[in-house]
Amino acid sequence: MAKVILKRQRKKRLEQGHPWIFQSEVDRIEGDITPGDFVDVYNHQGYWLAKGYINPASQIIVRVLTQNPDDELDERFFIERIRQAWAYRERMIPGVRSCRAIYGEADFLPGLIVDKYEDVLAVQILALGMEKRKDWILRGLLDVFAPRAIYLRNDVYVRELEGLEQEKGFWYGEAETEIEIEENGVKYMVDIEGGQKTGFFFDQRQNRAALRPLIGPETTVLDCFTHTGSFTLNACLYGAKHVTAVDISEHAIETAKRNAALNGFSNVDFVVANAFDYLRESVRAGKQWDVVIIDPPAFAKSAHAVPKALRGYKDINLNGLKLVKDGGFFVTSSCSYHVRPHMFEEMVADAAFDAKKVLRQVYWNGAGYDHPKLLAADEGDYLKFAIYEVHSRR
């Protein structure tokens, strides 16, 4: 294999376990390469560090597959990595039938995402090195999961940055593209063809379950940015008296209604509205709920967008806090990686100050067991989720 020699003056991120090598870290390449090839990585002193695959067209020039020199990068290696990823999920979430089964770099398979919906897999291949091993990956998925069908959701722009075309459709077998799954005792219809990402957001599994102690038979709940109703449905499952679910997307609300009907929940008012406006109007109207949930989409797609994103987050958190009954609970979240945890907490503290509220944190978490995070890779630390008990400041 060709050799990638790293610069002397660089952060030792690779040695700490980071799975990416950027163009700016490379001193030189020895040997002929074809994009997608496997390469050996050495430090400036000629000490072997890792094996991975290379794509000179990408800013992430090498994605690391192993830091064990004895590993052979062959079909068996990939199948075993897939097997290990699934064994981890079976251990951490016993009996799980639907989850994120492979989470790219965090499962030491950079550029490969696999979500399992019962006996159907939804797959994203995000890097050239993985695309070139599609046959190995397919055999591994068939061997480990024995799925009825596999659907490719390669309709993402990041593939173009790798020199790959966007595509979607069945890769193996055929099945309906709407699949019923169950999580935390709640049933959902998932659209693997047209839904966001690969169809469902598994990363909030444990956080949805964290609603349980907040809910009683007299509890009223406001769920803003409800999307397809996941927090709403969990609140209903735990016995909420009434839930108001708000989302700007008519399609999302229709899906949420279907999910509520699927579970036999009728104590929900579904509202198609801009959550920013709905929150402000509810404050003006003097409305209040026992539990208010704010789970918006990512506001910051880049570091440059952070100041504007924080203003948006503060707006919805400020008004959301005003709508919580004294002694009630405020549930808030952000999936913007560029809004770091300390920024998020500072934003919530500022919103609480302006809302004249004193907050007691009762729960803080990130993504669930099926979204593990490499300690060395901050990029995996994107989800912030908090529950606060809310008290009025006289």
Side-chain angles (χ1 to χ4, degrees):
M1 295 192 292
K3 297 180 179 181
V4 173
I5 315 298
L6 302 183
K7 291 179 179 177
R8 178 173 186 163
Q9 299 298 324
R10 63 178 175 88
K11 292 182 179 178
K12 302 297 189 288
R13 299 179 322 111
L14 176 58
E15 290 88 336
Q16 293 169 344
H18 200 288
W20 296 344
I21 297 170
F22 291 95
Q23 295 269 6
S24 59
E25 298 176 283
V26 175
D27 180 64
R28 66 187 186 278
I29 297 171
E30 296 180 355
D32 296 329
I33 58 166
T34 300
D37 277 358
F38 293 135
V39 292
D40 283 307
V41 180
Y42 295 81
N43 71 4
H44 68 284
Q45 295 173 311
Y47 182 81
W48 185 92
L49 296 175
K51 299 177 186 179
Y53 53 75
I54 190 167
N55 185 358
S58 172
Q59 282 300 307
I60 305 170
I61 188 170
V62 178
R63 295 175 191 258
V64 174
L65 285 163
T66 182
Q67 292 183 280
N68 181 350
D70 296 329
D71 282 340
E72 291 292 333
L73 300 183
D74 54 15
E75 181 176 334
R76 185 185 306 174
F77 172 89
F78 279 77
I79 293 174
E80 184 57 28
R81 281 282 165 89
I82 292 169
R83 194 181 309 281
Q84 290 168 357
W86 181 234
Y88 163 81
R89 270 89 186 156
E90 290 188 303
R91 178 174 187 166
M92 302 306 290
I93 319 172
V96 67
R97 293 181 55 82
S98 299
C99 66
R100 172 142 296 178
I102 299 174
Y103 188 34
E105 281 77 354
D107 281 306
F108 310 104
L109 287 166
L112 178 65
I113 302 292
V114 178
D115 281 344
K116 183 177 185 293
Y117 300 107
E118 291 291 321
D119 57 357
V120 176
L121 303 179
V123 175
Q124 284 186 333
I125 297 173
L126 306 174
L128 176 62
M130 280 295 171
E131 182 79 15
K132 290 187 71 170
R133 279 92 199 173
K134 281 179 76 172
D135 289 347
W136 294 354
I137 293 165
L138 179 57
R139 283 194 282 273
L141 296 176
L142 295 177
D143 187 39
V144 173
F145 297 101
R148 179 162 53 104
I150 303 176
Y151 193 87
L152 282 177
R153 280 300 301 267
N154 288 339
D155 53 336
V156 285
Y157 173 68
V158 70
R159 278 176 61 88
E160 296 184 15
L161 301 179
E162 289 278 315
L164 300 169
E165 293 183 356
Q166 295 192 37
E167 60 177 353
K168 70 176 181 177
F170 281 103
W171 187 17
Y172 169 83
E174 283 199 14
E176 63 280 3
T177 55
E178 286 196 338
I179 301 165
E180 182 180 317
I181 68 167
E182 186 172 314
E183 178 199 84
N184 299 341
V186 176
K187 297 174 182 176
Y188 301 89
M189 290 303 298
V190 176
D191 180 359
I192 63 170
E193 180 179 32
Q196 291 190 33
K197 304 288 185 177
T198 67
F200 191 74
F201 295 102
F202 282 119
D203 53 0
Q204 294 271 32
R205 175 193 304 269
Q206 288 158 251
N207 300 330
R208 289 189 272 262
L211 294 185
R212 183 189 289 270
L214 316 184
I215 308 297
E218 297 302 315
T219 305
T220 57
V221 179
L222 172 63
D223 178 18
C224 284
F225 306 95
T226 191
H227 191 231
T228 55
S230 59
F231 280 103
T232 286
L233 299 176
N234 278 265
C236 290
L237 177 71
Y238 300 140
K241 179 180 181 180
H242 187 270
V243 182
T244 303
V246 181
D247 200 280
I248 197 170
S249 165
E250 288 188 25
H251 181 263
I253 288 292
E254 285 305 313
T255 305
K257 286 180 179 178
R258 290 176 61 199
N259 286 334
L262 185 65
N263 289 275
F265 300 143
S266 57
N267 55 332
V268 184
D269 283 339
F270 290 99
V271 180
V272 178
N274 181 313
F276 284 84
D277 297 337
Y278 186 88
L279 288 163
R280 290 191 201 101
E281 290 163 6
S282 296
V283 169
R284 284 197 292 269
K287 294 181 180 180
Q288 287 200 314
W289 287 265
D290 296 300
V291 176
V292 173
I293 302 168
I294 306 286
D295 181 30
F299 288 170
K301 300 292 187 182
S302 68
H304 297 297
V306 167
K308 183 179 179 181
L310 286 171
R311 289 193 294 272
Y313 283 124
K314 184 179 178 183
D315 186 340
I316 55 177
N317 279 264
L318 171 63
N319 288 308
L321 283 165
K322 290 179 179 179
L323 295 173
V324 181
K325 293 179 183 177
D326 199 31
F329 293 93
F330 183 60
V331 181
T332 184
S333 181
S334 165
C335 59
S336 297
Y337 157 70
H338 294 284
V339 175
R340 308 306 296 140
H342 74 277
M343 298 178 189
F344 184 70
E345 288 193 295
E346 288 170 7
M347 175 278 299
V348 172
D350 288 345
F353 179 85
D354 289 356
K356 297 183 178 179
K357 304 291 183 182
V358 174
L359 304 186
R360 182 162 71 156
Q361 181 176 300
V362 298
Y363 183 86
W364 174 274
N365 200 15
Y369 285 131
D370 53 353
H371 287 66
K373 183 187 100 65
L374 293 177
L375 183 61
D378 282 344
E379 292 83 356
D381 191 17
Y382 67 97
L383 184 62
K384 285 78 58 184
F385 180 90
I387 300 175
Y388 299 99
E389 188 181 67
V390 181
H391 297 274
S392 296
R393 179 161 52 84
R394 306 298 181 190

